[in-house]
Amino acid sequence: MAREVFLFALVVCAGTAGELCVSRAMKTLGEVTNFHPAVLFSVVLRSLRLKWMWFGLALMTTAFFSLLWVLAIANVSLVVPVTAISYVAGTVGGKFFLRERVTRKRWVGVALVTVGVTLVLIGRS
Amino acid sequence: MVCFFPRETAHSCLSRALLKNSRLSTQPLCAKSMNASRDLYFKTYSSILVMVFFGPLGNVLLGKGMKHIGAVAAQSPKDAIHTLMLIFTSSTIWLGIASLITFFIAYMLVLSWADYSYVQPASSIAYGAAAVLAHLLLKEVISPTRWLGVIIICLGVFFVTGTPPRTTEHPDGA
């Protein structure tokens, strides 16, 4: 059981932290205003020079393999609601790590999305 | 008159300009701000639409490609090389990889200007789109639980997209 809990925590925390790091890297690069393919290619290359991008990619890879592992040892019906918590974790991370202003309205939306995603995935499995 | 708030509408800007009888020379600033706000919403929604389309498409194509190859047997190095050859010569798998790269580039771009706490829940509309498309195109039977989930997701996305996509100005929040 301790192993499952650890893997669940790793899926949610590493996945969310990875996306937050990618978000931070992109905010550091600045707003993209030109969508020419050459410019987009240059943006991708410049993002790869940022440590936040590499942290993010490493954490997202960790989360992906942890998810594969947890799916192999735990019941899908248990895995799904836990991974849907990522929406709440992401919003908390956005508020404190990226200093985003999360209004009550956005919180209500995030809570509804979390419940909805859980029901969709339960209904499919 | 300068519109300080990104979500300020054309109507409210115009009303303020008329009511307070502001100078003519400052009106283009308001128009510029409104255009910037409109651009922000347009490119945010467009990027999320690309993510919603290419993310699930990539997963489906990769899944289809891997199923076509069959069970992976890598008991010997020769088997492993043979499986890798099958994977990397499959057009379906390459299309899946291209779709996922497109998804990730759109994701990176939208995060360069929009809040993560906005993009993450807003892109969950993909679950709803997948269910509706599966029902309409593949004639899949969608369970009532799943439909309920789709409705709740849509409601949640409606709430989230009712907030401004960007609430920070500086990358480090400084």
Side-chain angles (χ1 to χ4, degrees), chain B residues 91-149:
Chain B
S91 55
T92 313
I93 287 178
W94 279 112
L95 278 175
I97 291 170
S99 296
L100 289 178
I101 289 173
T102 309
F103 160 82
F104 197 70
I105 289 174
Y107 187 49
M108 284 169 67
L109 292 178
V110 73
L111 287 177
S112 78
W113 65 79
D115 288 356
Y116 175 71
S117 60
Y118 179 96
V119 174
Q120 190 205 26
S123 57
S124 69
I125 198 80
Y127 288 102
V132 171
L133 288 177
H135 179 67
L136 294 178
L137 300 178
L138 305 174
K139 308 288 178 203
E140 265 186 33
V141 179
I142 310 290
S143 68
T145 313
R146 200 168 158 193
W147 278 128
L148 180 65

Side-chain angles (χ1 to χ4, degrees), chain B residues 8 12 30 58 60 68 75 79-80 91 96 98 103 130 132 145 149 158 165 167:
Chain B
E8 190 151 30
S12 61
C30 188
V60 167
H68 186 69
Q75 288 165 348
D79 285 342
S91 55
F103 160 82
V132 171
T145 313
F158 176 75
T167 60

Side-chain angles (χ1 to χ4, degrees), chain B:
Chain B
M1 177 176 292
V2 181
C3 301
F4 291 103
F5 304 103
R7 291 215 63 203
E8 190 151 30
T9 59
H11 180 261
S12 61
C13 273
L14 194 62
S15 304
R16 277 170 57 193
L18 290 171
L19 283 170
K20 295 189 179 176
N21 196 20
S22 63
R23 288 174 300 170
L24 281 173
S25 60
T26 56
Q27 282 180 348
L29 283 173
C30 188
K32 196 176 170 186
S33 176
M34 284 188 299
N35 283 339
S37 175
R38 208 168 41 215
D39 285 352
L40 178 74
Y41 276 89
F42 177 72
K43 65 184 188 179
T44 305
Y45 291 154
S46 306
S47 303
I48 290 173
L49 204 63
V50 170
M51 286 168 61
V52 165
F53 181 74
F54 283 100
L57 181 69
N59 289 329
V60 167
L61 288 171
L62 276 187
K64 200 176 166 187
M66 290 305 289
K67 271 186 190 147
H68 186 69
I69 286 167
V72 175
Q75 288 165 348
S76 68
K78 198 179 165 187
D79 285 342
I81 290 169
H82 179 67
T83 307
L84 281 176
M85 284 296 288
L86 284 176
I87 289 172
F88 288 111
T89 51
S90 160
S91 55
T92 313
I93 287 178
W94 279 112
L95 278 175
I97 291 170
S99 296
L100 289 178
I101 289 173
T102 309
F103 160 82
F104 197 70
I105 289 174
Y107 187 49
M108 284 169 67
L109 292 178
V110 73
L111 287 177
S112 78
W113 65 79
D115 288 356
Y116 175 71
S117 60
Y118 179 96
V119 174
Q120 190 205 26
S123 57
S124 69
I125 198 80
Y127 288 102
V132 171
L133 288 177
H135 179 67
L136 294 178
L137 300 178
L138 305 174
K139 308 288 178 203
E140 265 186 33
V141 179
I142 310 290
S143 68
T145 313
R146 200 168 158 193
W147 278 128
L148 180 65
V150 169
I151 292 165
I152 295 175
I153 288 173
C154 291
L155 198 62
V157 172
F158 176 75
F159 270 91
V160 171
T161 52
T163 64
R166 177 169 58 197
T167 60
T168 55
E169 283 303 322
H170 301 286
D172 296 322

Side-chain angles (χ1 to χ4, degrees), chain A residues 10 14 30 32 38 58 62 65 80 84 95 101 109:
Chain A
L10 203 58
V32 177
T62 308
F65 285 106
V80 161
K95 183 176 170 64
R101 193 163 54 84

